Amino acid sequence: MRKHQSSNRMAVILTACGGVLLLILLVMLIVRYRAVETELDRMLVESLTAHTEEAGEGAGYLLHYAETVLKNTNLFITGEAKAPEKSWVEPMVHTFNLVDDRMDLRYLDKTDLAAASWGREDPELLGQVLRGEAVVSGILNDTDQGDCYVVAVRPVRWNEQTVGALVARVNADTLLRQGKHSTFFHNVHSVIAGEDGRIVYGSSLGLQGLSLTDLGAEDGLTQQESEAFSAAYQEQTSGSFSYAVGKGRNYTAWAPVSYNNWRIVQFSLSPNVNIERTSMMQTVVMLVSLVICAVLAALMWRQRARMAKERMRYAVLAEFKDTLLFEYNCEDDSLEFTSNALDTLEIENSRISGVLMGDGSLSVFHPEDVVNVRNALKNAVNMLPDQVEHDRIRLKGRDGNYRWYRSQYKAVFGSEDRVVQVIGTLTDISVQIDREKELREQARQDPLTGLYNRAGVKMINARLEQISRGVLFMMDLDDFKSINDNYGHAAGDKLLTAIGRILTETFRTDDIVARVGGDEFVAFLSGSDSKITAEQKGQELLERVRTLRIEGIDTVASVSIGAASAPGCGRTYEALSAVADEALYQVKNHGKGGFLLK
């Protein structure tokens, strides 16, 4: 009996132990399941958030890219020394329109602006453009085509007046389609909302004007959850939120667009999840998939941007038939001409590699110009976004003879505000150069200094017709009459001769230096209106004259210099000399021996 009771007691103990073990195993399974559920929720939210941020960045990049295309197009238009007219602007704009099929680029003159549908819908937007402001609109409705769109508008100015505008139209659906949807969900819904949580655009009808909380209430969002969601949305420009819906969950994420305080909002329900929630292996697969998708998305986006840039480049270059164009790629150190250069220049391949760092052959350039070409390309990394430089170079033609070309070029900036390319035009100016040579022959040299006489003024005007940028320097010797009176005219002539030598050594051989009066000199620095370069030249002249010593003259010589830049102060010698002369006399009235650039 006692043995039987002992056996029963042992059975109870074993049963209890087994029950406890089963309970422990059950608790462990539940904890494990909850851990998997929590981790899965976290990964789902992170996945949707990452793709939403990509969509927001993509939409913002598209609008920024539209503004950049407008800005670059405007630089090409205003860089020409003629008024923007529809007859020649529209064909050029058409080439830029081939850059990206996600936008529609147009040029509107003032008549077209008055009739533009977006201007009628938003008169204030039109007013800003007419006042010279670049703008990006809100969501606009096209009743004729039955869709919604956004426009980026940049005014085209001429003589400080708005004469037209460049307009890039982007469909609102296109903004929503930037980036890839999370591969973890079958269906992801996207809308554009304002910072107040109201929807400004959704692909489905009837969404515009609704608040996100109203939309969530239709899926079972409670009042408490609605308040929590509103607080999170208001406090964070980028974030996520999830809540229970029936037997599943709703996942929502938002990210900024960087324009108009818009945000891309994406949401999806858990029944659309592509995985079994109880499988640890599939959790791992999801994590790996997330990494792979992120890498592929980054590679695809980079490739797409590169292809768009290439399409833009070749579309623009192919449009110009009467002018040679070139592009220098800073990354691979290559110089490439448009295909029509093969018919004009003595080159067998339109692309030259190793221009600066390698042994690239630059035989198409005149030997005396090769150093200048390399220096110009090397210094292009320091150019400003709106800076346009001019120069003159000689290129060998198919007939073996060298011809003069005017070079006009600017820098192209990449995503990190770093110069990645230099693009420009080459225009044959051999006829103008021949005319300048005739003027040089007509311009008798000043017998004392060896510089050009007043006929050099005609040469400066001819140069301004070829290259509209430059700086005119006007220089007077201070107290020159007293030097002649005290030391004699022979000593004065020595001083004038020395000043002529200083000017010749300070300026380039291609610049124009002339003696236009007894002690009056002018010099024209062509191709650049850089304030820094002009200041350096002016200070160099002051210093060299200050340290000049002439036999028979005990006093220290000094000069007063006034300067004016083209095209800012004018496009002719007469206009520039009037401004430079005013600057010169300001220096004279403030103690002499100084330099002033207008």
Side-chain angles (χ1 to χ4, degrees):
M1 182 71 178
R2 208 175 276 177
K3 184 177 180 180
H4 178 70
Q5 289 177 347
S6 178
S7 298
N8 289 338
R9 191 179 299 114
M10 183 60 68
V12 171
I13 294 173
L14 291 175
T15 301
C17 290
V20 171
L21 289 175
L22 286 175
L23 182 61
I24 292 173
L25 289 175
L26 181 60
V27 170
M28 291 177 62
L29 288 174
I30 292 174
V31 170
R32 185 66 174 174
Y33 178 82
R34 295 300 183 190
V36 172
E37 286 274 307
T38 302
E39 183 65 11
L40 181 56
D41 265 351
R42 184 189 64 79
M43 287 192 295
L44 289 173
V45 170
E46 287 184 355
S47 174
L48 186 62
T49 301
H51 286 82
T52 305
E53 289 177 348
E54 179 185 354
E57 290 177 359
Y61 176 81
L62 178 55
L63 293 176
H64 175 71
Y65 186 63
E67 286 190 299
T68 302
V69 171
L70 295 184
K71 182 178 180 181
N72 290 338
T73 307
N74 187 44
L75 287 175
F76 273 97
I77 294 172
T78 56
E80 296 292 333
K82 56 183 177 180
E85 295 178 357
K86 200 170 183 179
S87 58
W88 67 268
V89 174
E90 266 194 339
M92 182 177 7
V93 172
H94 175 69
T95 64
F96 283 90
N97 204 31
L98 303 175
V99 172
D100 197 320
D101 57 7
R102 298 175 297 172
M103 69 181 72
D104 182 33
L105 181 63
R106 306 274 179 179
Y107 173 73
L108 306 179
D109 59 20
K110 295 197 75 170
T111 302
D112 296 331
L113 279 173
S117 59
W118 53 267
R120 294 194 302 270
E121 185 173 351
D122 192 347
E124 176 57 27
L125 186 72
L126 179 59
Q128 289 179 270
V129 174
L130 294 177
R131 290 194 297 270
E133 301 176 27
V135 294
V136 175
S137 74
I139 299 294
L140 302 170
N141 295 308
D142 190 334
T143 54
D144 295 332
Q145 299 185 20
D147 61 2
C148 297
Y149 64 99
V150 178
V151 291
V153 189
R154 175 170 284 272
V156 176
R157 309 266 299 170
W158 185 258
N159 292 333
E160 300 183 354
Q161 297 290 326
T162 299
V163 298
L166 294 164
V167 182
R169 171 173 168 152
V170 179
N171 192 283
D173 274 335
T174 304
L175 285 179
L176 285 179
R177 290 198 300 267
Q178 300 309 301
K180 302 292 183 181
H181 282 164
S182 172
T183 55
F184 296 162
F185 297 92
H186 288 303
N187 297 307
V188 176
H189 305 283
S190 302
V191 297
I192 301 176
E195 62 179 351
D196 61 354
R198 293 205 168 269
I199 298 173
V200 297
Y201 179 77
S203 56
S204 301
L205 296 176
L207 293 180
Q208 191 165 340
L210 286 177
S211 71
L212 294 170
T213 53
D214 291 339
L215 198 62
E218 298 177 3
D219 294 331
L221 183 67
T222 66
Q223 180 63 31
Q224 184 178 0
E225 290 170 337
S226 176
E227 292 174 358
F229 171 78
S230 296
Y233 187 85
Q234 296 293 333
E235 293 173 1
Q236 307 171 22
T237 58
S238 178
S240 61
F241 191 83
S242 63
Y243 56 93
V245 179
K247 296 182 179 180
R249 295 184 67 79
N250 182 296
Y251 299 92
T252 304
W254 61 92
V257 177
S258 301
Y259 282 85
N260 298 328
N261 293 321
W262 288 341
R263 299 175 186 176
I264 295 291
V265 183
Q266 295 187 335
F267 49 92
S268 185
L269 298 174
S270 58
N272 292 323
V273 177
N274 291 330
I275 62 175
E276 291 294 332
R277 302 175 65 84
T278 57
S279 173
M280 177 62 74
M281 182 58 70
Q282 289 180 336
T283 302
V284 176
V285 171
M286 284 197 304
L287 184 59
V288 174
S289 299
L290 176 62
V291 175
I292 293 174
C293 287
V295 173
L296 290 178
L299 292 176
M300 290 176 64
W301 183 260
R302 182 179 179 183
Q303 182 66 16
R304 182 184 180 88
R306 182 177 298 174
M307 291 177 64
K309 183 178 71 176
E310 290 295 311
R311 288 168 60 189
M312 173 182 176
R313 180 170 69 90
Y314 287 110
V316 172
L317 298 183
E319 185 70 17
F320 294 91
K321 302 300 183 184
D322 302 328
T323 304
L324 304 181
L325 287 97
F326 67 88
E327 173 188 309
Y328 174 70
N329 192 310
C330 301
E331 295 180 354
D332 61 12
D333 191 26
S334 66
L335 181 66
E336 187 168 354
F337 297 94
T338 39
S339 57
N340 57 346
L342 296 173
D343 301 326
T344 306
L345 304 178
E346 191 179 77
I347 53 175
E348 300 303 325
N349 194 319
S350 61
R351 187 172 186 273
I352 301 174
S353 300
V355 176
L356 299 181
M357 307 303 295
D359 56 354
S361 174
L362 298 181
S363 58
V364 68
F365 295 96
H366 193 282
E368 296 177 3
D369 296 337
V370 170
V371 173
N372 291 336
V373 170
R374 284 188 165 131
N375 287 338
L377 295 177
K378 186 182 301 182
N379 295 330
V381 296
N382 300 318
M383 292 179 66
L384 301 175
D386 297 329
Q387 184 177 351
V388 178
E389 288 293 331
H390 299 71
D391 207 346
R392 303 195 307 177
I393 58 174
R394 287 162 289 185
L395 296 170
K396 183 182 287 189
R398 279 290 177 185
D399 58 0
N401 296 321
Y402 288 97
R403 297 184 65 83
W404 280 98
Y405 285 82
R406 177 181 64 191
S407 171
Q408 177 178 321
Y409 58 93
K410 70 181 298 293
V412 176
F413 290 78
S415 58
E416 299 178 354
D417 292 332
R418 182 172 55 88
V419 176
V420 295
Q421 293 174 324
V422 178
I423 60 174
T425 61
L426 294 168
T427 305
D428 193 329
I429 57 169
S430 297
V431 174
Q432 294 94 315
I433 293 295
D434 291 341
R435 179 186 170 193
E436 184 176 310
K437 288 181 179 178
E438 293 177 3
L439 291 174
R440 287 183 185 272
E441 293 174 0
Q442 296 171 9
R444 291 178 291 105
Q445 285 187 331
D446 175 56
L448 180 62
T449 62
L451 305 176
Y452 292 112
N453 57 18
R454 284 199 60 85
V457 171
K458 294 182 180 179
M459 298 174 60
I460 295 176
N461 270 325
R463 181 67 59 83
L464 283 166
E465 292 179 4
Q466 302 169 20
I467 301 177
S468 60
R469 293 185 185 273
V471 180
L472 178 70
F473 295 78
M474 297 191 71
M475 184 172 71
D476 273 2
L477 279 167
D478 297 327
D479 303 318
F480 182 66
K481 183 177 182 304
S482 64
I483 292 177
N484 275 336
D485 293 343
N486 295 329
Y487 302 102
H489 287 279
D493 288 347
K494 289 182 181 179
L495 177 58
L496 291 174
T497 302
I499 295 296
R501 184 172 62 254
I502 289 175
L503 286 169
T504 302
E505 294 172 353
T506 302
F507 289 91
R508 302 170 301 183
T509 56
D510 196 41
D511 297 329
I512 301 171
V513 182
R515 181 187 177 199
V516 295
D519 63 336
E520 300 174 359
F521 299 83
V522 297
F524 183 66
L525 175 68
S526 64
S528 174
D529 58 351
S530 169
K531 182 177 180 180
I532 295 176
T533 302
E535 290 282 355
Q536 290 174 345
K537 291 289 184 184
Q539 295 302 324
E540 181 180 353
L541 286 171
L542 292 177
E543 182 62 23
R544 294 193 64 174
V545 173
R546 192 177 297 117
T547 57
L548 181 64
R549 297 293 180 268
I550 302 296
E551 183 179 356
I553 300 178
D554 295 333
T555 61
V556 176
S558 70
V559 292
S560 297
I561 308 171
S565 61
C569 297
R571 297 176 181 270
T572 64
Y573 174 84
E574 290 72 20
L576 294 175
S577 62
V579 178
D581 192 56
E582 179 184 348
L584 172 64
Y585 279 95
Q586 287 187 32
V587 174
K588 290 276 191 183
N589 293 331
H590 288 80
K592 306 178 182 179
F595 170 78
L596 178 61
L597 170 66
K598 286 285 190 178

